[in-house]
Amino acid sequence: AAAAATDPEWVFRTEVMCQFVNMAGAGPFPNGSWQRTLDTKEARAERGVTRDPDRQACYGLSLSFDRTMAYVALAFWDTEDRIRVEIVARRAGVDWVAPWLNDPGRKVKPDYVAAQRRGAPISGEWELLEKLLTLHAWEGTEIAGWHGWFYDRVRAASVDESPADETDEEFRARVRFSHGVQPALDTAATTAQIGTVGGGWAIDLKGSPTDAAPLQAAIAAVGLLLTDPAPVYESAYEREGLLVLD
């Protein structure tokens, strides 16, 4: 019973019930749950919802399996106390990633950046990126752990998890997660294949029918955010410059 509550349906049916499950085109989340976590920019603007500047925001990086496209995801807490995740940049190659994040005009500084340290296409760029960014190594038990955290937040939006006659306001208070309309992320979230890893599961970039890297980047960003990383303090000298008196 515990496995049925915490694992994607295909994992439970395959590992516990010994059934073959065809996952082609289904994605890892309960049917319709990803769509129900959509919160458009227009709807958020009407409610006056913005990023909470007093709380951390985290980036996640990923590279497509064929290494042609890199993605940067941003996860943050908003003023409704909900997690928001978005793909904020995507371009060919990886050379642009560090300069883009380090741009002095970037509103959200790259103080918290996560990428898979081993076993993913982005891992091959670790030495390059580590020289230019302060990276959190996403590895070990965090791989399955962060996928599980992300899954739980999307699953909470499924019809089966939703009380009858729940209002939109009650839904938002219970499902503390949202995303916008982004075809690359939406496609990945509704088609990505997954495979078992350790005691859990993870996105299978190679086996997915479309590019699942946007979803992997989103999971990295949300996972790091949920670790509640320690605040990075900026000194007055760094913020305003050093004044030298003659």
Side-chain angles (χ1 to χ4, degrees), residues 34-126:
W34 180 257
Q35 291 83 349
R36 286 169 60 84
T37 55
L38 169 66
D39 193 7
T40 66
K41 290 183 178 181
E42 293 78 11
R44 290 166 65 81
E46 284 186 11
R47 303 197 310 274
V49 183
T50 59
R51 179 175 67 87
D52 185 344
D54 295 326
R55 302 178 74 175
Q56 295 96 321
C58 299
Y59 290 102
L61 310 180
S62 187
L63 183 64
S64 58
F65 181 75
D66 62 7
R67 304 180 61 81
T68 59
M69 189 72 68
Y71 297 86
V72 179
L74 176 66
F76 56 87
W77 293 99
D78 66 22
T79 49
E80 289 184 333
D81 195 31
R82 304 175 77 212
I83 292 175
R84 177 75 169 184
V85 68
E86 301 174 349
I87 299 298
V88 291
R90 62 170 183 164
R91 295 179 194 169
V94 295
D95 292 345
W96 62 273
V97 172
W100 186 90
L101 285 169
N102 287 326
D103 187 323
R106 188 75 45 223
K107 290 183 178 180
V108 179
K109 303 301 181 184
D111 294 327
Y112 313 98
V113 184
Q116 191 167 327
R117 178 67 178 87
R118 295 179 177 86
I122 194 69
S123 308
E125 307 299 327
W126 186 268

Side-chain angles (χ1 to χ4, degrees), residues 162-176:
S162 301
D165 302 322
E166 185 176 45
T167 66
D168 290 345
E169 185 175 353
E170 290 170 340
F171 175 86
R172 290 193 296 270
R174 182 177 62 82
V175 181
R176 297 172 59 204

Side-chain angles (χ1 to χ4, degrees), residues 29 34 56-61 73-77 82-87 112-114 138 142 145-154 176-179 185 214-229:
F29 308 113
W34 180 257
Q56 295 96 321
C58 299
Y59 290 102
L61 310 180
L74 176 66
F76 56 87
W77 293 99
R82 304 175 77 212
I83 292 175
R84 177 75 169 184
V85 68
E86 301 174 349
I87 299 298
Y112 313 98
V113 184
W138 184 23
E142 285 184 342
W146 290 11
H147 279 81
W149 290 352
F150 196 94
Y151 174 83
D152 289 344
R153 278 148 186 81
V154 178
R176 297 172 59 204
F177 172 85
S178 78
H179 60 87
L185 180 56
L215 180 58
Q216 187 183 63
I219 293 171
V222 170
L224 184 57
L225 184 70
L226 286 170
T227 67
D228 192 23

